[in-house]
């Protein structure tokens, strides 16, 4: 095991998120120092002075097209071909406070925010529109399964949702199943 700290070039020792990209580079998102890229034995730092919307990075994802995505409390940032693009509520996010990023088996990028879910589409971000109350709170995690369900970790519950219906804003009553303590969940915290 090797240990990397500020002494070796990491932007900050308080790391929130880490991601190994397909080319072997390692990204580290920090509490308040931005993101560090470790590649070829050297660190590079990315922060608000060169494109990130915040120096706090909560989630990192590499999309199948090679774009690096960063979830921050000030919006969603995309890094591609050496340039940055930031998405905020004015661009379709339900909240600028991003908790989690996830790319499903079909290549769709899901964004979990403090106030619901968004989907990344070519050139834009759009909010998920649904009447399911559990999907408008803070979203903390995603997973998908081979059966076509998207599993969503909200602050106080776990939901299994028909992925296609959610993706196309066509959720029906039976498309969402909520799990709580009565179903064996160890507990829910609000």
């Amino acid at each position: 095991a090797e240990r990397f700290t500020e002494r070796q070039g990491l932007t900050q020792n308080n790391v929130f998120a880490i991601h190994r990209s397909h080319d072997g580079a390692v990204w580290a998102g920090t509490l308040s120092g931005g993101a560090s890229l470790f590649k070829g034995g050297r660190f590079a730092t990315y922060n608000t002075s060169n494109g990130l919307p915040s120096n706090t990075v909560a989630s990192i994802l590499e999309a199948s097209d090679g774009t690096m995505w960063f979830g921050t409390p000030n919006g969603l940032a995309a890094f591609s071909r050496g340039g940055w693009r930031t998405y905020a509520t004015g661009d379709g996010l339900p909240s600028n406070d991003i908790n989690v990023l996830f790319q499903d088996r079909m290549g769709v990028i899901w964004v979990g925010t403090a106030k619901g879910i968004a989907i990344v589409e070519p050139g834009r971000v759009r909010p998920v529109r649904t009447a399911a109350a559990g999907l408008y709170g803070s979203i903390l995690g995603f997973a998908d399964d081979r059966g076509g369900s998207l599993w969503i970790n909200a602050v106080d519950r776990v939901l299994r949702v028909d992925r296609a219906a959610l993706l196309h804003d066509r959720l029906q009553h039976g498309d969402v199943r909520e799990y709580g303590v009565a179903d064996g969940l160890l507990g829910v915290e609000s």
Side-chain angles (χ1 to χ4, degrees), residues 4 22 29 36 43 47 124 137 150 152 161 165 175 178:
F4 296 97
H22 74 279
S36 289
F43 279 100
N47 54 36
R124 73 183 192 124
L150 186 66
I152 300 169
V161 181
D175 292 335
E178 187 175 316

Side-chain angles (χ1 to χ4, degrees), residues 110-126:
W110 300 85
V111 182
T113 78
K115 293 182 181 176
I117 301 170
I119 299 167
V120 174
E121 294 180 336
R124 73 183 192 124
V125 174
R126 76 167 170 87

Side-chain angles (χ1 to χ4, degrees), residues 43-186:
F43 279 100
T45 298
Y46 297 90
N47 54 36
T48 55
S49 67
N50 55 16
L52 271 173
S54 171
N55 285 333
T56 300
V57 178
S59 188
I60 303 171
L61 172 78
E62 180 182 22
S64 53
D65 69 359
T67 301
M68 294 301 303
W69 292 90
F70 300 85
T72 80
N74 291 341
L76 178 64
F79 183 68
S80 180
R81 297 181 186 97
W84 290 92
R85 165 89 197 267
T86 298
Y87 298 88
T89 54
D91 300 302
L93 287 173
S95 167
N96 287 333
D97 192 359
I98 311 299
N99 295 321
V100 65
L101 303 169
F102 175 71
Q103 187 168 32
D104 70 19
R105 296 169 198 263
M106 302 304 289
V108 174
I109 297 174
W110 300 85
V111 182
T113 78
K115 293 182 181 176
I117 301 170
I119 299 167
V120 174
E121 294 180 336
R124 73 183 192 124
V125 174
R126 76 167 170 87
V128 169
R129 302 197 192 288
T130 175
L135 300 176
Y136 281 110
S138 190
I139 305 299
L140 304 174
F142 294 102
D144 61 350
D145 64 28
R146 290 188 174 109
S149 294
L150 186 66
W151 291 80
I152 300 169
N153 175 22
V155 132
D156 59 351
R157 64 194 85 188
V158 173
L159 301 118
R160 185 183 69 203
V161 181
D162 181 292
R163 179 200 163 280
L166 183 62
L167 180 63
H168 300 293
D169 296 329
R170 293 192 302 245
L171 278 181
Q172 302 289 323
H173 177 69
D175 292 335
V176 178
R177 168 76 162 95
E178 187 175 316
Y179 295 89
V181 176
D183 302 295
L185 201 60
L186 293 178

